[in-house]
Amino acid sequence: MLFQPERYLLKKQIKKNARYINGVVLDAGSGNGERYKKFFKFDRYVTFDVNSAYGADMVGSVENIPAESGSFDSVVSTQVLEHVKNPQKAIEEFYRALKPGGYCLVTVPQMNELHDEPNDYWRFTKYGLEEIFGRAGFKIVLIEQRGGFWVLNAQMKIRYIIDLFDLNRRAWLAKIFNLFFLIGGRLSILIDELDKSKANKKHALGWLIIAQK
């Protein structure tokens, strides 16, 4: 798999905050349900996706979750809200589906190339997340930044090269480029960690929010 700082940091961020997720879990926008499931301790893991081809437990939009109110102890939704026409409605559905005291873990991009077109509608800032989750009734536990200036620039360059040369379909060429992606991407992550400036923190790949009903 081609190394991308975004995917590396996203996985690391979800694993770090997985302790909030337990009990009966709804993975809203799950895909095949295997991406981050291994990080969570749960009694039951319910997958839910708009695309029936993934074989999810439930099929439909996160704007209208086909479950009774208070059905879940936890909701996980990773890199989904940018593809939803009405993200406020989706967050209100997360709130409704959760039991009182339940947590949701949601990740979103602030910067990304266009993807899954034409169903790519939104990008989010920290302050936008505070607004829409607060409006839905959630108590915000934490909002954590993913990446700064250096990682953002490395990710955009890597993604451009992947798309320019169609590397996901050209395995032999991808192997050559991936060495440079790995070195440059890891270096950008290290520099980001060392750069504590306010200037660096004004740039973000995206955010993770933990919110409680």
Side-chain angles (χ1 to χ4, degrees):
M1 180 178 292
L2 290 164
F3 181 83
Q4 296 185 57
E6 161 72 6
R7 294 182 180 180
Y8 174 83
L9 292 176
L10 181 64
K11 184 177 179 180
K12 185 177 179 180
Q13 193 174 50
I14 292 169
K15 184 177 181 180
K16 174 185 173 184
N17 292 285
R19 65 188 183 277
Y20 290 99
I21 304 303
N22 54 58
V24 180
V25 178
L26 176 67
D27 187 337
S30 61
N32 63 17
E34 296 301 322
R35 285 176 295 185
Y36 308 112
K37 181 179 178 180
K38 63 185 177 183
F39 296 142
F40 307 120
K41 294 180 180 179
F42 52 85
D43 299 322
R44 187 158 62 96
Y45 199 86
V46 180
T47 55
F48 175 45
D49 200 272
V50 71
N51 188 345
S52 61
Y54 286 120
D57 299 315
M58 301 190 303
V59 177
S61 169
V62 292
E63 295 164 288
N64 186 20
I65 298 172
E68 294 183 3
S69 298
S71 294
F72 301 98
D73 298 291
S74 308
V75 172
V76 174
S77 187
T78 59
Q79 307 300 93
V80 171
L81 291 182
E82 70 269 29
H83 301 295
V84 177
K85 289 183 178 180
N86 189 343
Q88 182 69 62
K89 182 65 168 62
I91 294 165
E92 290 169 0
E93 279 291 275
F94 295 166
Y95 187 89
R96 182 189 65 79
L98 277 170
K99 296 177 181 177
Y103 290 91
C104 69
L105 182 159
V106 175
T107 69
V108 294
Q110 179 171 305
M111 290 291 292
N112 241 160
E113 78 288 348
L114 283 172
H115 58 290
D116 293 338
E117 298 174 71
N119 301 310
D120 189 9
Y121 306 109
W122 311 104
R123 299 295 181 265
F124 299 87
T125 66
K126 171 184 178 180
Y127 305 106
L129 288 177
E130 289 176 346
E131 175 66 24
I132 58 180
F133 274 83
R135 193 184 300 165
F138 277 106
K139 172 187 175 184
I140 296 172
V141 178
L142 66 86
I143 299 180
E144 186 176 280
Q145 184 170 341
R146 185 170 59 259
F149 173 81
W150 304 100
V151 166
L152 172 60
N153 276 272
Q155 173 64 30
M156 291 298 99
K157 290 172 182 175
I158 289 171
R159 189 68 242 185
Y160 175 78
I161 292 171
I162 290 172
D163 292 338
L164 180 65
F165 295 107
D166 198 15
L167 296 185
N168 286 319
R169 298 185 182 183
R170 303 170 76 182
W172 65 273
L173 190 57
K175 288 180 181 180
I176 297 171
F177 274 105
N178 199 43
L179 177 62
F180 296 98
F181 293 168
L182 186 59
I183 294 170
R186 290 279 193 171
L187 183 60
S188 72
I189 292 169
L190 175 61
I191 296 173
D192 247 359
E193 290 173 350
L194 295 173
D195 186 350
K196 306 298 184 183
S197 69
K198 290 183 179 179
N200 186 41
K201 296 305 178 185
K202 285 187 175 183
H203 303 266
L205 274 173
W207 303 89
L208 176 144
I209 181 168
I210 302 292
Q212 185 179 28
K213 181 173 179 177

